[in-house]
Amino acid sequence: PNLATPSHAPTAKKKGAEGVGLFRTEFLFLDRQDAPTIDEQTEAYATVLKTFDEGAKVVFRTLDAGADKPLAFADLGAEENPALGRRGLRLSQVRTDLIDAQLEALAKAAEQTGRDPYVMAPMVATKAEAEWFSSRAHAAGIKTVGIMVEVPSTALRSSQVLESVDFASIGTNDLTQYAMAADRLQGELAELLTPWQPAVIQLVKATCDGAGDRLIGVCGEAAGDPLLALVLVGFVVRSLSMAAGKITAVKAALSRHSLEQCRRIADAALAACSPEEARTAALKLADPSVEVLVS
Ligand code: PEP
Ligand code: MG
């Protein structure tokens, strides 16, 4: 699932989660005036790691502050367009104290629990940024390092950008926002902001096509749509992370389709000219039971 606090981890596990596809670390610290200490962070991360079985994939995203997730202690000042400003990894590159403390806490949590956390950076736009994060995380003792794919430049160039990392997770919320030039916080733009937009589907495919053997997951809202989940799996997305309440429906849809069927559904969605057409085309090829799951 997607989680923002360790206390939600046991419930997610009960609802069928096999690991955590996105732990949004910034939400632990939303109301704070000061940066959290390394000990506080270590405890929170260790709690999440211990909730899941040994060998489970538990993915922590480093601080994604800025724009829709403002943090008082990580504010670089007012910006005209915060969604296009110094947010996510860009902020970490300026406030290296914050990212280094976080990486140290994650490494300590790994040591304490004997688990291997997956650690990824948000808002990576270039190969150089991925390399910067990867070497910093490895230097801190993190073994499994990844990035989020939520900027179209990274999706289009995934074979180059992913070279220095072990895995990637596609964030369809921001990927859609940036591909469609539509502010994700503007409800009036919902039609542009659906991940069924053919351009978004094409960017997901481009990411997967360039990823080689690396594990690619999806952790945006798209992963929680049972029909769209079939499309994602068709492009060989290997893990899906969603709100815990959506796990049952997505698992039910996946269990009724082979990879080959998912591939055909994905191709049909990709060939469509609009979100409605993509959805209709996918639904036509899916098992009839999916209609109930998505209605
Ligand atoms: C995303 O952008 O899709 C994502 C999962 O991250 P967030 O919604 O936290 O920006
Ligand atoms: Mg995002």
Side-chain angles (χ1 to χ4, degrees):
N2 297 336
L3 293 182
T5 149
S7 62
H8 291 162
T11 320
K13 194 180 176 195
K14 273 192 212 117
K15 288 187 174 163
E18 288 151 26
V20 178
L22 169 64
F23 187 86
R24 290 183 164 109
T25 58
E26 61 281 350
F27 282 91
L28 283 175
F29 315 124
L30 266 189
D31 305 321
R32 313 241 330 202
Q33 294 305 312
D34 314 305
T37 66
I38 290 173
D39 285 350
E40 275 176 272
Q41 294 192 54
T42 304
E43 197 188 327
Y45 305 148
T47 304
V48 181
L49 285 169
K50 279 187 294 197
T51 304
F52 293 90
D53 301 338
E54 225 173 317
K57 182 181 173 194
V58 178
V59 185
F60 294 91
R61 175 175 74 192
T62 57
L63 207 58
D64 187 22
D68 56 303
K69 310 175 195 78
L71 284 186
F73 63 85
D75 186 354
L76 298 179
E79 294 178 321
E80 286 280 340
N81 296 297
L84 302 178
R86 289 188 294 171
R87 58 166 302 198
L89 184 68
R90 299 168 190 177
L91 188 141
S92 291
Q93 290 185 311
V94 180
R95 291 289 308 273
T96 49
D97 56 320
L98 295 175
I99 185 86
D100 287 345
Q102 196 162 35
L103 292 171
E104 188 179 334
L106 284 159
K108 278 192 170 161
E111 211 178 287
Q112 273 179 19
T113 57
R115 306 286 168 86
D116 176 22
Y118 284 56
V119 179
M120 66 182 182
M123 297 299 301
V124 173
T126 67
K127 178 175 162 73
E129 286 176 357
E131 286 169 352
W132 183 89
F133 178 72
S134 175
S135 59
R136 214 154 182 113
H138 283 127
I142 305 293
K143 290 200 195 94
T144 309
V145 178
I147 59 164
M148 284 195 72
V149 178
E150 44 188 354
V151 181
S153 58
T154 293
L156 290 170
R157 306 279 296 176
S158 74
S159 70
Q160 287 88 357
V161 180
L162 297 183
E163 244 165 44
S164 60
V165 297
D166 307 304
F167 75 99
S169 185
I170 303 173
T172 52
N173 307 336
D174 277 313
L175 188 59
T176 306
Q177 150 163 278
Y178 295 124
M180 305 307 296
D183 184 342
R184 65 189 268 185
L185 300 178
Q186 284 230 25
E188 299 87 344
L189 299 178
E191 247 172 72
L192 288 171
L193 283 166
T194 164
W196 281 101
Q197 283 287 353
V200 177
I201 293 175
Q202 192 166 342
L203 286 167
V204 170
K205 182 180 189 307
T207 306
C208 294
D209 285 352
D213 296 335
R214 288 175 194 81
L215 272 184
I216 301 294
V218 170
C219 62
E221 297 307 316
D225 172 338
L227 185 58
L228 193 46
L230 300 175
V231 174
L232 299 173
V233 169
F235 293 136
V236 203
V237 161
R238 304 258 286 276
S239 70
L240 300 171
S241 187
M242 64 213 70
K246 298 189 171 157
I247 296 173
T248 311
V250 171
K251 277 194 173 182
L254 291 175
S255 71
R256 290 182 188 124
H257 298 83
S258 65
L259 181 57
E260 198 39 52
Q261 283 173 303
C262 290
R263 285 207 168 107
R264 280 199 292 272
I265 293 169
D267 286 343
L270 186 66
C273 292
S274 70
E276 299 73 33
E277 238 182 64
R279 217 174 157 278
T280 307
L283 202 52
K284 215 165 135 190
L285 293 175
D287 185 271
S289 62
V290 174
E291 190 139 19
V292 182
L293 297 171
V294 293
S295 61

